[in-house]
Amino acid sequence: MTKLSVNINKIATLRNSRGGNVPNLVQAAVDIQEFGAEGITIHPRPDERHIKYQDAYDLKPVVTTEYNIEGNPIDNFKKLVLEVKPTQVTLVPDSVDQLTSNAGWDTITHQSYLQDVIAEFKEAGIRTSIFIDTDLKLIEAAATTGTDRIELYTEHFATEFDRGNRDAIKPYAEAAVLAHELGLGINAGHDLSLENIQFFKQNIPHLAEVSIGHALISESLYLGLQNVVNMYLDRLS
Ligand SMILES: CC(=O)[C@@H](O)[C@H](O)COP(=O)(O)O
Ligand SMILES: NCC(=O)COP(=O)(O)O
């Protein structure tokens, strides 16, 4: 079964645009879970452009499914995650000012750093995942970091899918097969959408979770949030 974790960053973007509390992020998380989503994801960036650090604390009591906090493990982020204790932390090698996530970890170069950070979160009882590309050498090195899971970075797949290139799925399928053989759980995310999610799901073995935000919230502007959540669940079933 592949769990749908809804990334609510873009709801926070809308909320912040007027400086108040509309739409209410906590209520949105409650409703999204009632609509059937199996997780809530947030990505508090250092500039708090959308999710604020306080949101991570405010959401903790209402996320009764799986709570996934994503980010670069800088000191403030590590402190936040260790205090909030979500179900899962997903480590992403983002720089402070980049527009969005655009690369996975170099698990070879950063092997010892990742080992230390992952050990700290695992010691706190938090499941770990690391954002990664499909390079098989990087997948192999991910296994020795001690991480519970990897999150396949799916932007390239989504871009190629839009161009009609269905062969772009092959590196992701190969990476998933290797990761499973190495004992790694498999998540995926970035630019997944109603258009591409079913094809992705059908071709990726052992897919435990997808985290989807930008497309899902954009699609909800036209089709409604509850309807879109259920459309994703149908495509993932
Ligand atoms: C790691 C990942 O792919 C998502 O967390 C994505 O980065 C969302 O971040 P933004 O909503 O800031 O684009
Ligand atoms: N980890 C991916 C995520 O949380 C959402 O990415 P996107 O769907 O906003 O591109």
Side-chain angles (χ1 to χ4, degrees), residues 50-124:
H50 39 52
I51 296 290
K52 299 185 182 303
Y53 274 39
Q54 185 55 46
D55 290 326
Y57 296 94
D58 296 346
L59 286 162
K60 168 75 176 186
V62 304
V63 179
T64 54
T65 53
E66 292 209 340
Y67 192 15
N68 177 40
I69 301 181
E70 303 195 336
N72 190 329
I74 59 176
D75 288 347
N76 283 351
F77 178 84
K78 283 201 295 185
K79 178 175 180 295
L80 171 72
V81 172
L82 291 170
E83 286 175 355
V84 172
K85 288 191 171 42
T87 313
Q88 173 177 268
V89 59
T90 300
L91 307 184
V92 187
D94 285 351
S95 62
V96 173
D97 54 358
Q98 65 187 69
L99 178 64
T100 186
S101 306
N102 59 9
W105 286 99
D106 178 340
T107 51
I108 297 169
T109 305
H110 298 112
Q111 176 74 197
S112 58
Y113 170 74
L114 287 168
Q115 285 176 347
D116 294 345
V117 172
I118 286 163
E120 200 172 349
F121 287 127
K122 288 181 75 168
E123 197 174 316

Side-chain angles (χ1 to χ4, degrees), residues 7 10 41 68 70 131 151 188-192 211-215:
N7 182 313
K10 300 303 160 25
T41 290
N68 177 40
E70 303 195 336
F131 200 57
E151 177 179 344
H190 205 92
D191 285 343
L192 294 175
S211 43
I212 306 175
H214 193 86

Side-chain angles (χ1 to χ4, degrees), residues 159-203:
T159 303
E160 289 302 305
F161 185 90
D162 285 349
R163 291 174 177 154
N165 173 12
R166 297 296 179 263
D167 288 343
I169 194 70
K170 290 179 181 172
Y172 295 85
E174 289 163 5
V177 167
L178 176 59
H180 183 70
E181 287 171 356
L182 294 168
L184 293 168
I186 300 152
N187 297 345
H190 205 92
D191 285 343
L192 294 175
S193 69
L194 282 175
E195 276 187 40
N196 63 37
I197 188 63
Q198 192 164 36
F199 179 77
F200 188 83
K201 158 69 178 171
Q202 287 169 346
N203 288 278

Side-chain angles (χ1 to χ4, degrees), residues 21 24 40 70 153 185 203 234 237:
N21 197 31
N24 182 311
I40 295 292
E70 303 195 336
Y153 167 40
N203 288 278
D234 287 346
S237 63

